[in-house]
Amino acid sequence: VSGSLFNGDAPLTEYTLIARTLDYAGNYSSLYSTKTFIHDDAAPSATIGFPVSGGFYNGAGLAVSSGSMSDVSNGNTGITDVRLILKRLDPPIGYWRESDNAFPPGIERSTVSIHASSWTVAMPPLVSNVDYQMWVEATDGAGNVLWANGAASQAAADTDMGNNTGGVPFLYDNDASVSVTTSPASGAYRNSQLAAIEGASLDGLNSSGLSTSPGDQFRFRLSRSTAPSSSWQYWQGGAGWASSVVDFFPTPVEIDAANKNFSWTQSLPG
Protein backbone atom coordinates (compact mmCIF):
# COMPACT_ATOMS: atom_id res chain seq x y z
CA VAL A 1 0.00 0.00 0.00
CA SER A 2 1.37 3.40 -0.92
CA GLY A 3 2.45 5.69 1.92
CA SER A 4 0.24 8.41 0.45
CA LEU A 5 -2.97 6.43 1.01
CA PHE A 6 -3.82 8.34 4.20
CA ASN A 7 -3.03 11.80 2.86
CA GLY A 8 -5.79 14.29 3.61
CA ASP A 9 -7.95 12.06 5.78
CA ALA A 10 -9.48 13.41 8.95
CA PRO A 11 -8.70 12.12 12.43
CA LEU A 12 -10.50 8.88 13.20
CA THR A 13 -10.98 7.99 9.51
CA GLU A 14 -12.12 4.39 9.33
CA TYR A 15 -11.00 2.10 6.50
CA THR A 16 -12.39 -1.27 5.46
CA LEU A 17 -10.42 -3.86 3.48
CA ILE A 18 -12.45 -6.45 1.53
CA ALA A 19 -10.66 -9.39 -0.08
CA ARG A 20 -11.93 -12.17 -2.39
CA THR A 21 -9.94 -14.92 -4.11
CA LEU A 22 -10.22 -16.26 -7.71
CA ASP A 23 -8.45 -19.52 -8.59
CA TYR A 24 -7.26 -20.80 -11.99
CA ALA A 25 -10.50 -22.72 -12.50
CA GLY A 26 -12.56 -19.57 -12.20
CA ASN A 27 -13.85 -20.18 -8.72
CA TYR A 28 -14.38 -17.20 -6.40
CA SER A 29 -14.34 -17.60 -2.68
CA SER A 30 -17.91 -17.50 -1.50
CA LEU A 31 -17.09 -15.33 1.53
CA TYR A 32 -15.34 -12.00 1.53
CA SER A 33 -12.52 -11.43 4.00
CA THR A 34 -13.23 -8.08 5.67
CA LYS A 35 -10.92 -6.09 7.94
CA THR A 36 -11.66 -2.66 9.40
CA PHE A 37 -9.06 -0.34 10.91
CA ILE A 38 -8.77 3.28 12.01
CA HIS A 39 -6.01 5.61 10.91
CA ASP A 40 -4.64 7.79 13.72
CA ASP A 41 -1.20 9.32 13.41
CA ALA A 42 -1.69 12.27 15.79
CA ALA A 43 -0.35 12.32 19.34
CA PRO A 44 -2.83 12.78 22.20
CA SER A 45 -2.82 15.80 24.52
CA ALA A 46 -2.12 15.91 28.26
CA THR A 47 -1.54 18.77 30.69
CA ILE A 48 -0.63 19.29 34.34
CA GLY A 49 -3.36 21.13 36.22
CA PHE A 50 -1.96 20.83 39.74
CA PRO A 51 0.51 21.87 41.02
CA VAL A 52 0.76 25.16 39.16
CA SER A 53 3.96 26.65 37.80
CA GLY A 54 5.86 28.63 40.42
CA GLY A 55 3.62 27.47 43.27
CA PHE A 56 4.57 26.97 46.93
CA TYR A 57 3.22 23.83 48.61
CA ASN A 58 3.37 21.92 51.88
CA GLY A 59 2.51 18.29 52.54
CA ALA A 60 -1.19 18.90 53.14
CA GLY A 61 -1.48 21.04 50.02
CA LEU A 62 0.26 18.65 47.65
CA ALA A 63 -0.97 15.16 48.47
CA VAL A 64 -2.13 14.49 44.89
CA SER A 65 -1.06 15.82 41.50
CA SER A 66 -3.60 15.93 38.66
CA GLY A 67 -4.20 17.05 35.12
CA SER A 68 -6.26 16.58 31.97
CA MET A 69 -5.84 14.37 28.92
CA SER A 70 -7.64 13.92 25.61
CA ASP A 71 -7.40 12.16 22.29
CA VAL A 72 -10.75 13.38 20.92
CA SER A 73 -9.40 16.09 18.64
CA ASN A 74 -6.25 14.16 17.75
CA GLY A 75 -7.59 10.82 16.54
CA ASN A 76 -9.87 9.50 19.29
CA THR A 77 -8.32 6.05 19.59
CA GLY A 78 -8.22 6.59 23.34
CA ILE A 79 -5.53 7.22 25.94
CA THR A 80 -3.79 4.03 27.03
CA ASP A 81 -1.01 5.40 29.20
CA VAL A 82 -0.04 8.63 30.98
CA ARG A 83 3.36 9.07 32.61
CA LEU A 84 4.64 11.68 35.04
CA ILE A 85 8.26 12.77 35.28
CA LEU A 86 9.06 14.45 38.62
CA LYS A 87 12.55 15.90 39.01
CA ARG A 88 14.31 17.09 42.14
CA LEU A 89 16.22 20.21 41.07
CA ASP A 90 18.38 20.69 44.17
CA PRO A 91 21.34 18.34 44.83
CA PRO A 92 21.26 15.42 44.84
CA ILE A 93 19.39 15.90 41.53
CA GLY A 94 17.19 12.94 40.63
CA TYR A 95 13.91 11.68 39.18
CA TRP A 96 11.08 10.02 41.08
CA ARG A 97 10.90 6.24 40.74
CA GLU A 98 7.45 5.13 41.87
CA SER A 99 8.44 1.56 42.76
CA ASP A 100 10.40 2.67 45.82
CA ASN A 101 9.91 6.48 45.92
CA ALA A 102 13.64 6.97 45.38
CA PHE A 103 15.11 9.77 43.22
CA PRO A 104 17.94 8.19 41.19
CA PRO A 105 19.94 10.40 38.79
CA GLY A 106 18.59 8.83 35.58
CA ILE A 107 15.24 9.90 34.07
CA GLU A 108 12.32 7.87 35.41
CA ARG A 109 8.77 7.83 34.01
CA SER A 110 6.09 6.99 36.57
CA THR A 111 2.63 5.71 35.65
CA VAL A 112 -0.43 7.62 36.88
CA SER A 113 -4.10 6.69 37.28
CA ILE A 114 -6.24 7.38 34.20
CA HIS A 115 -9.87 8.56 34.39
CA ALA A 116 -12.36 9.59 31.69
CA SER A 117 -10.62 12.83 30.77
CA SER A 118 -8.16 13.34 33.59
CA TRP A 119 -5.30 11.73 35.46
CA THR A 120 -4.20 11.68 39.10
CA VAL A 121 -1.24 10.41 41.09
CA ALA A 122 -0.43 10.36 44.80
CA MET A 123 2.71 12.39 45.42
CA PRO A 124 5.75 10.69 46.94
CA PRO A 125 7.47 11.94 50.10
CA LEU A 126 9.27 15.19 49.21
CA VAL A 127 12.08 17.06 50.95
CA SER A 128 11.21 20.43 52.47
CA ASN A 129 12.71 23.62 51.02
CA VAL A 130 13.60 21.88 47.76
CA ASP A 131 12.64 22.88 44.21
CA TYR A 132 10.96 20.31 41.96
CA GLN A 133 9.79 20.25 38.34
CA MET A 134 7.36 17.92 36.57
CA TRP A 135 6.38 16.96 33.04
CA VAL A 136 3.64 14.72 31.64
CA GLU A 137 3.57 12.34 28.65
CA ALA A 138 0.81 10.22 27.12
CA THR A 139 0.26 7.41 24.59
CA ASP A 140 -2.93 6.70 22.60
CA GLY A 141 -4.46 3.48 21.28
CA ALA A 142 -2.64 3.78 17.96
CA GLY A 143 0.73 4.08 19.66
CA ASN A 144 1.21 7.81 19.12
CA VAL A 145 3.21 9.40 21.92
CA LEU A 146 3.04 12.88 23.36
CA TRP A 147 6.57 13.41 24.66
CA ALA A 148 7.38 15.97 27.36
CA ASN A 149 7.08 19.54 26.05
CA GLY A 150 5.65 18.14 22.79
CA ALA A 151 9.16 17.09 21.77
CA ALA A 152 9.64 15.17 18.53
CA SER A 153 11.26 12.15 20.22
CA GLN A 154 12.09 10.64 23.58
CA ALA A 155 15.70 11.74 23.17
CA ALA A 156 14.63 15.34 22.59
CA ALA A 157 12.28 15.19 25.59
CA ASP A 158 15.05 13.79 27.78
CA THR A 159 17.34 16.62 26.71
CA ASP A 160 14.66 19.19 27.61
CA MET A 161 14.14 17.66 31.04
CA GLY A 162 17.88 17.47 31.65
CA ASN A 163 18.02 21.21 30.93
CA ASN A 164 14.91 21.95 33.06
CA THR A 165 13.09 23.25 29.97
CA GLY A 166 9.29 23.64 30.10
CA GLY A 167 7.30 21.62 32.59
CA VAL A 168 5.88 22.86 35.88
CA PRO A 169 8.39 24.02 38.52
CA PHE A 170 7.31 24.37 42.16
CA LEU A 171 8.78 24.67 45.65
CA TYR A 172 7.96 22.21 48.43
CA ASP A 173 8.12 23.82 51.89
CA ASN A 174 6.78 21.74 54.77
CA ASP A 175 8.59 23.56 57.60
CA ALA A 176 6.88 26.21 59.70
CA SER A 177 8.56 29.59 60.02
CA VAL A 178 9.90 30.72 63.40
CA SER A 179 9.01 34.05 65.05
CA VAL A 180 10.65 35.73 68.05
CA THR A 181 10.26 39.00 69.91
CA THR A 182 13.51 40.98 70.02
CA SER A 183 12.33 44.06 71.94
CA PRO A 184 11.51 44.19 74.78
CA ALA A 185 13.78 41.40 76.01
CA SER A 186 12.22 38.51 77.87
CA GLY A 187 12.09 39.14 81.64
CA ALA A 188 13.01 42.82 81.27
CA TYR A 189 11.88 45.51 83.73
CA ARG A 190 10.55 48.76 82.29
CA ASN A 191 10.23 52.18 83.94
CA SER A 192 9.01 53.97 80.80
CA GLN A 193 6.42 53.53 78.09
CA LEU A 194 7.26 51.20 75.18
CA ALA A 195 7.21 52.98 71.82
CA ALA A 196 7.02 49.74 69.85
CA ILE A 197 7.30 45.98 70.00
CA GLU A 198 9.83 44.48 67.58
CA GLY A 199 10.61 40.99 66.42
CA ALA A 200 11.91 38.73 63.68
CA SER A 201 10.61 35.84 61.59
CA LEU A 202 12.80 33.22 59.92
CA ASP A 203 11.54 30.82 57.25
CA GLY A 204 14.87 29.25 56.27
CA LEU A 205 17.19 28.84 53.29
CA ASN A 206 15.36 28.17 49.99
CA SER A 207 11.98 28.30 51.73
CA SER A 208 8.82 29.88 50.37
CA GLY A 209 9.30 32.97 52.56
CA LEU A 210 6.70 35.48 53.72
CA SER A 211 4.75 38.03 51.75
CA THR A 212 5.83 41.61 52.42
CA SER A 213 2.42 42.96 51.45
CA PRO A 214 -0.14 43.84 54.14
CA GLY A 215 -2.01 40.73 55.27
CA ASP A 216 -2.32 38.02 57.90
CA GLN A 217 0.93 36.15 57.09
CA PHE A 218 2.29 37.32 60.47
CA ARG A 219 0.32 38.04 63.65
CA PHE A 220 0.95 38.80 67.28
CA ARG A 221 -1.09 39.50 70.41
CA LEU A 222 -0.23 41.35 73.61
CA SER A 223 -1.68 40.25 76.96
CA ARG A 224 -1.26 41.32 80.59
CA SER A 225 -2.01 40.09 84.10
CA THR A 226 -1.44 41.92 87.38
CA ALA A 227 -0.75 38.65 89.21
CA PRO A 228 -0.27 34.99 88.24
CA SER A 229 -3.73 34.14 89.53
CA SER A 230 -5.48 37.00 87.75
CA SER A 231 -7.39 36.68 84.51
CA TRP A 232 -5.53 37.72 81.39
CA GLN A 233 -6.47 40.79 79.42
CA TYR A 234 -5.59 41.44 75.80
CA TRP A 235 -4.60 44.70 74.16
CA GLN A 236 -7.41 45.89 71.91
CA GLY A 237 -5.40 48.65 70.19
CA GLY A 238 -5.04 52.22 71.42
CA ALA A 239 -5.30 52.27 75.20
CA GLY A 240 -7.94 49.57 75.51
CA TRP A 241 -7.62 46.20 77.27
CA ALA A 242 -10.29 43.48 77.52
CA SER A 243 -10.72 39.75 77.99
CA SER A 244 -11.39 39.12 74.29
CA VAL A 245 -8.40 38.01 72.20
CA VAL A 246 -7.30 40.40 69.43
CA ASP A 247 -4.53 39.72 66.91
CA PHE A 248 -2.49 42.38 65.14
CA PHE A 249 -0.81 42.00 61.76
CA PRO A 250 2.36 44.10 61.32
CA THR A 251 3.80 43.76 57.81
CA PRO A 252 7.12 41.84 57.70
CA VAL A 253 10.17 43.50 56.13
CA GLU A 254 12.70 41.23 54.43
CA ILE A 255 16.23 41.77 55.81
CA ASP A 256 17.96 38.62 54.50
CA ALA A 257 16.67 37.37 51.16
CA ALA A 258 18.87 34.25 51.03
CA ASN A 259 17.72 32.90 54.40
CA LYS A 260 14.21 34.41 54.23
CA ASN A 261 14.76 36.43 57.40
CA PHE A 262 12.21 39.16 58.20
CA SER A 263 11.73 41.83 60.83
CA TRP A 264 8.49 43.33 62.11
CA THR A 265 7.49 46.30 64.25
CA GLN A 266 4.24 47.15 66.01
CA SER A 267 3.93 50.75 67.21
CA LEU A 268 2.30 51.34 70.58
CA PRO A 269 0.35 54.39 71.81
CA GLY A 270 2.37 56.96 73.76
Side-chain angles (χ1 to χ4, degrees):
V1 176
S2 169
S4 63
L5 175 65
F6 301 130
N7 285 354
D9 66 1
L12 201 61
T13 297
E14 183 176 302
Y15 293 84
T16 301
L17 299 176
I18 301 175
R20 194 178 183 194
T21 304
L22 174 67
D23 64 18
Y24 279 115
N27 302 303
Y28 270 111
S29 56
S30 58
L31 297 177
Y32 287 93
S33 174
T34 303
K35 297 290 184 181
T36 300
F37 66 92
I38 295 173
H39 175 228
D40 175 10
D41 62 357
S45 64
T47 61
I48 298 170
F50 187 81
V52 299
S53 182
F56 302 114
Y57 299 96
N58 59 16
L62 190 59
V64 175
S65 177
S66 61
S68 63
M69 62 181 194
S70 176
D71 197 43
V72 173
S73 61
N74 298 346
N76 207 22
T77 52
I79 303 288
T80 59
D81 182 44
V82 176
R83 302 165 302 282
L84 184 74
I85 301 92
L86 174 61
K87 182 180 182 180
R88 173 179 169 144
L89 300 181
D90 298 326
I93 297 171
Y95 298 83
W96 173 43
R97 182 172 60 206
E98 64 177 325
S99 60
D100 58 3
N101 285 335
F103 280 78
I107 294 177
E108 297 278 344
R109 290 170 162 84
S110 300
T111 303
V112 305
S113 298
I114 299 174
H115 312 289
S117 59
S118 64
W119 59 266
T120 57
V121 62
M123 293 293 286
L126 302 179
V127 178
S128 189
N129 293 351
V130 167
D131 289 294
Y132 292 87
Q133 194 158 346
M134 61 170 55
W135 297 263
V136 67
E137 298 179 338
T139 303
D140 68 13
N144 301 301
V145 179
L146 169 72
W147 296 109
N149 291 340
S153 65
Q154 180 176 338
D158 289 354
T159 298
D160 279 354
M161 292 185 286
N163 294 329
N164 303 332
T165 302
V168 174
F170 65 92
L171 174 66
Y172 183 75
D173 179 359
N174 205 42
D175 295 333
S177 57
V178 177
S179 296
V180 296
T181 301
T182 58
S183 178
S186 180
Y189 294 96
R190 300 284 307 186
N191 64 2
S192 61
Q193 173 67 36
L194 278 173
I197 298 176
E198 299 175 342
S201 296
L202 177 65
D203 202 32
L205 182 66
N206 200 39
S207 65
S208 57
L210 304 178
S211 171
T212 54
S213 299
D216 62 357
Q217 64 273 23
F218 173 78
R219 66 184 64 201
F220 94 101
R221 64 184 59 158
L222 180 62
S223 59
R224 72 179 183 182
S225 176
T226 56
S229 60
S230 299
S231 298
W232 287 94
Q233 292 182 319
Y234 296 89
W235 183 45
Q236 308 291 300
W241 293 83
S243 59
S244 58
V245 175
V246 175
D247 286 338
F248 296 87
F249 307 96
T251 301
V253 177
E254 189 172 61
I255 57 176
D256 182 352
N259 292 291
K260 301 296 192 300
N261 197 355
F262 301 79
S263 66
W264 55 268
T265 301
Q266 176 65 52
S267 299
L268 299 176

